[in-house]
Amino acid sequence: MKILAIESSCDETACAVVEDGRRILSDIIASQVDEHQLYGGVVPEIASRRHCENISGVCEEALEKAGVSLDEIDAIAVTYAPGLIGALLVGVNFAKGMAVAAGKPLIPVHHVKGHIAACYLTYPELKPPFLALTASGGHSQITLVNDYTSFTTLGRTIDDAAGEAFDKAARSMNFPYPGGVFIDKAAQNGNPHLYKLPRPHTEGEFDFSFSGLKTSVINLVHNAHQKGEEIDTASLAASFQFTVAEILSDKLMLAACRYKVGAVVIAGGVAANSGLRAAVTEKANERDIKVFLPPISLCGDNGAMIGAQAFYEFQAGNVANSELNAYATLSM
Ligand code: KG4
Ligand code: ZN
């Protein structure tokens, strides 16, 4: 089954053709990051406009690269929640138009479920049940994937997402937006134990809190500036990355042991972080838990992950009609 999948929940206009939920035939991404960088974050109105301009060309390119015509596509999938509402609506309406015009089924996909499904594209042996840690610019959560379309959220951030904390901390260190990847690079040359940063407590055992940690980095930088003191940026980046990776990997392992799950997956933009990948791999190996890391190219937002999850949604009968709406927030 060939699915054409569209993703437009934030600042990437993406479209992919995926076969049977496991094989990428094409995966096209038009990133708007250069433009949003000028403003230090995603400007929703600009994101929506760029999606409108790009979506048609991106979909055409995805079909062309896959070497298939729209006739040969079996279904159209689209991210319908959560995300920036104006951005989501562009993808949803484009997908609806395409599905109606071509007479194809329409499959709505939850963005976070898509992130988790990214690993299906790399690991043929990966099958539920497993535990997933999703950490991106908008989400941080630990989810029990009972089956391809059955999820139990065990914990989530009570304030900032991990990626948001990375980006705000990076900004205080004068890195461009989105700063996660710059912290990652700078951290390679730093001492992760030079700065002692707080690990905020949460009531929920598997919940996260990153707001206090983020603020402590920002305050540390401001105070140093005021006193005319030098900051060791590489070591601050390394200390911050180390702390976030410890928080995320410790809770993931705690949940894996509590629920006796033999496999863990990490997903979302922050899953590209080298410190997090190393921490999760090391701790899982110590506990004889299998680890599945998505390739860096599938960590950030893309259409292929939506096509992967869509295959299983379709099999479970989750299809929509032309009344499908988009939602800025929606639980799994
Ligand atoms: O999944 P994603 O592309 O979009 C959302 O759904 O939010 O995630 C984007 C986030 C940004 O906060 C970005 O800074 C972060 O992922 N990110 C990283 C790295 N690469 C991307 N954070 C830490 N280390 C990285 N290497
Ligand atoms: Zn995302």
Side-chain angles (χ1 to χ4, degrees):
M1 178 181 195
K2 293 189 184 75
I3 296 178
L4 179 134
I6 296 171
E7 153 64 41
S8 72
S9 66
C10 191
D11 59 346
E12 338 272 354
T13 319
C15 182
V17 179
V18 176
E19 192 166 35
D20 298 335
R22 297 277 176 167
R23 206 159 77 85
I24 301 175
L25 302 186
S26 66
D27 188 18
I28 308 296
I29 303 173
S31 174
Q32 311 169 1
V33 70
D34 291 352
E35 193 169 1
H36 297 291
Q37 218 164 51
L38 301 171
Y39 304 94
V42 177
V43 182
E45 175 66 21
I46 294 178
S48 311
R49 285 169 186 266
R50 295 299 166 260
H51 286 313
C52 284
E53 290 162 11
N54 294 335
I55 196 158
S56 183
V58 166
C59 291
E60 264 173 43
E61 203 181 330
L63 285 171
E64 199 178 306
K65 264 263 169 70
V68 294
S69 66
L70 185 53
D71 265 0
E72 293 167 284
I73 292 291
D74 299 296
I76 313 287
V78 66
T79 305
Y80 75 115
L84 300 172
I85 192 65
L88 286 164
L89 280 168
V90 177
V92 166
N93 282 302
F94 192 86
K96 281 204 274 192
M98 220 179 189
V100 170
K104 311 282 179 189
L106 177 65
I107 311 168
V109 177
H110 189 286
H111 183 76
V112 178
K113 295 181 186 177
H115 270 302
I116 294 171
C119 271
Y120 298 144
L121 297 161
T122 311
Y123 302 100
E125 71 276 27
L126 176 63
K127 291 185 177 75
F130 58 83
L131 196 64
L133 166 71
T134 314
S136 71
H139 317 276
S140 297
Q141 61 187 64
I142 294 179
T143 310
L144 204 49
V145 182
N146 311 302
D147 205 341
Y148 291 103
T149 55
S150 162
F151 303 83
T152 309
T153 302
L154 304 179
R156 57 168 66 84
T157 182
I158 57 165
D159 40 52
D160 294 350
E164 197 179 343
F166 261 102
D167 296 341
K168 300 272 168 60
R171 192 177 188 166
S172 77
M173 296 177 223
N174 279 329
F175 291 122
Y177 175 85
V181 68
F182 295 99
I183 291 204
D184 198 344
K185 279 195 189 122
Q188 309 299 324
N189 304 312
N191 170 5
H193 307 293
L194 186 66
Y195 295 98
K196 295 275 170 284
L197 299 171
R199 287 207 205 179
H201 171 78
T202 52
E203 283 299 318
E205 209 178 357
F206 305 118
D207 283 343
F208 302 111
S209 165
F210 292 108
S211 167
L213 170 61
K214 168 198 74 182
T215 308
S216 82
V217 169
I218 295 171
N219 289 345
L220 201 145
V221 173
H222 283 178
N223 291 342
H225 280 183
Q226 277 174 349
K227 292 184 197 150
E229 289 169 5
E230 284 263 318
I231 286 275
D232 177 348
T233 304
S235 293
L236 184 56
S239 303
F240 175 78
Q241 176 167 302
F242 172 77
T243 310
V244 174
E246 284 294 295
I247 294 170
L248 290 171
S249 58
D250 280 348
K251 294 231 167 168
L252 181 64
M253 291 306 133
L254 187 67
C257 294
R258 178 73 47 83
Y259 289 87
K260 299 189 170 50
V261 188
V264 296
V265 158
I266 62 173
V270 181
N273 185 263
S274 61
L276 178 63
R277 294 170 83 91
V280 169
T281 304
E282 191 190 322
K283 289 174 191 179
N285 287 343
E286 282 167 10
R287 293 164 178 80
D288 258 341
I289 294 170
K290 286 199 190 107
V291 198
F292 297 91
L293 306 177
I296 307 292
S297 59
L298 292 176
C299 289
D301 293 346
N302 63 83
M305 66 187 203
I306 303 303
Q309 181 60 24
F311 176 72
Y312 296 103
E313 297 291 343
F314 184 78
Q315 295 205 322
N318 297 332
V319 290
N321 58 25
S322 54
E323 278 163 31
L324 177 67
N325 202 353
Y327 303 92
T329 56
L330 185 74
S331 69
M332 287 172 81

